Amino acid sequence: MRGDNDCHLCIIKNEWTATSGRHLVGLSTRWLSDDLHPEQGSIPLRACVHPSAVTLPETHKTPMVMVALGTGIAPMRAFIEERAAAKKDGEECAPMALFFGARNRQEYSYEAEFDQYQKDGVLTHIVLALSREQKEKIYVTHRLQQEKQMIYDLIHEKEGNLYLCGPGG
């Protein structure tokens, strides 16, 4: 992958109300949000990066349909950034469609960035499923059904790849 030596983390703060009515915040997400101060610049951390089980197609001419749920957006963002760099370098790039599911727009952390990628022609489709933003719950599966012709075209007709990443359960 192109880029620098930075590692970007995609973290959603885990907050909930217990059956007792007490407001709780996840231990790790509390530490990350309250005790670290990324606005002061980079945060040096010891880490190791394992090779990914999910890899880009061999060529940027392969269409991609990406389905991301919550923090599952992280590898998709890396794919989009890689394709944006390839396009900037003059490489021919196939269409990319992103289906993103979350509870609300607040969890769609990369909205402005992805909108710019769409304006730049890197992302050809952005389809959101924000399940708690309206009376009836809308999930990614609903959006996939609504866009089945586009998905068929990219995956079957144009021999594209489908990627799915998100929390299990």
Side-chain angles (χ1 to χ4, degrees), residues 7 47-52:
C7 179
C48 105
V49 177
H50 295 280
S52 176

Side-chain angles (χ1 to χ4, degrees), residues 87-102:
K87 187 173 180 72
K88 185 178 178 182
D89 289 346
E91 292 184 43
E92 183 182 339
C93 295
M96 293 183 91
L98 173 65
F99 290 81
F100 179 69

Side-chain angles (χ1 to χ4, degrees), residues 14 19 123 145 150:
N14 190 11
T19 53
L123 269 172
Q145 174 65 28
M150 180 257 292

Side-chain angles (χ1 to χ4, degrees), residues 5-9 11 31-33 35-47:
N5 292 322
D6 289 345
C7 179
H8 298 241
L9 302 177
I11 301 165
W31 177 76
L32 287 165
S33 67
D35 296 339
L36 293 179
H37 302 283
E39 67 278 357
Q40 296 173 0
S42 296
I43 303 167
L45 295 173
R46 291 174 57 125

